[in-house]
Amino acid sequence: MKIIIVGCGRVGAGLAKNLSMQGVDVTIIDKNKSAFDALGSTFKGRTVEGIGFDQKVLSKAGIEKADALAAVTASDEANIVAARMARSFFKVPFVAARVYEPRKAKIYRRLGIQTISPVTLGIERLTSILVYPNLNIERSLGAGQVSLVDVEAGQTLAAKTLKDIEIPGEIKLVALTRNGRTSLPNDALVFQNGDILHLSVTSSARNKVNHLSSR
């Protein structure tokens, strides 16, 4: 798999090193050559100096054969231009961009560009910590209508079954982790102390899960 990253700041460098360690063919672009110092001596990918939305620079990075591109510079505008060029002009199958402004993120998602908004993610995470202290909200789907939530089964959930926690259309057990091993649930499942329940939960049902896990 070949992935191009535009922007070698903290996020870009960290992403590039992580992907490279997993054996992914990574090329990272930045307009400042000194930014590549953050990659360290163990980075095995390629570096390309230049503007991340310049057609010649992208071609030099091998975008014609890229499977995915992530634009993570400090500029929303630069990220969107690079992402749209990759998506529309070079037909890269998977494209994502970091966008600080939440309103812009929603607009570009409608154009087929996956966006990550640190502001929105930060707000959602802090809200979950403050309002739902018993829940570990891993990810919000859509506009936050559904969340993937992790709940540890303590004494209150031990010996309970699926029918004790699931509510059709509101709460669904997706998977369960027991003793470090994750598996799909079945109707005969009985929870044990220390189990991690991976739930899909609607926003209106978060209080129910929070209350259930705190009893």
Side-chain angles (χ1 to χ4, degrees), residues 62-208:
I63 195 169
E64 288 86 356
K65 297 182 179 180
D67 299 296
L69 177 142
V72 292
T73 74
S75 167
D76 282 4
E77 289 70 24
N79 291 341
I80 290 303
V81 172
R84 293 196 68 182
M85 181 172 290
R87 181 74 171 177
S88 302
F89 186 81
F90 289 104
K91 308 300 181 184
V92 176
F94 302 103
V95 176
R98 179 174 65 175
V99 180
Y100 287 96
E101 174 55 51
R103 183 181 60 82
K104 292 180 182 178
K106 292 181 180 179
I107 292 173
Y108 289 110
R109 274 199 294 270
R110 298 191 189 104
L111 296 177
I113 298 173
Q114 293 295 317
T115 58
I116 300 296
S117 173
V119 174
T120 300
L121 292 175
I123 291 171
E124 291 177 351
R125 184 60 179 155
L126 286 169
T127 298
S128 69
I129 290 172
L130 296 172
V131 180
Y132 309 105
N134 296 305
L135 306 184
N136 182 16
I137 300 179
E138 294 291 346
R139 184 183 178 189
S140 292
L141 305 178
Q145 297 96 335
V146 176
S147 298
L148 299 179
V149 176
D150 290 348
V151 175
E152 183 173 354
Q155 294 295 334
T156 57
L157 288 175
K160 293 187 181 298
T161 63
L162 286 180
K163 66 179 182 180
D164 295 315
I165 66 163
E166 290 194 337
I167 301 176
E170 294 187 52
I171 303 171
K172 178 71 175 177
L173 181 66
V174 178
L176 181 133
T177 298
R178 176 176 294 168
N179 299 323
R181 183 176 179 180
T182 302
S183 60
L184 297 177
N186 58 64
D187 292 338
L189 178 64
V190 177
F191 302 129
Q192 297 179 8
N193 191 14
D195 285 349
I196 303 298
L197 282 60
H198 308 287
L199 306 166
S200 59
V201 183
T202 63
S203 57
S204 60
R206 285 184 184 178
N207 274 326
K208 295 178 182 178

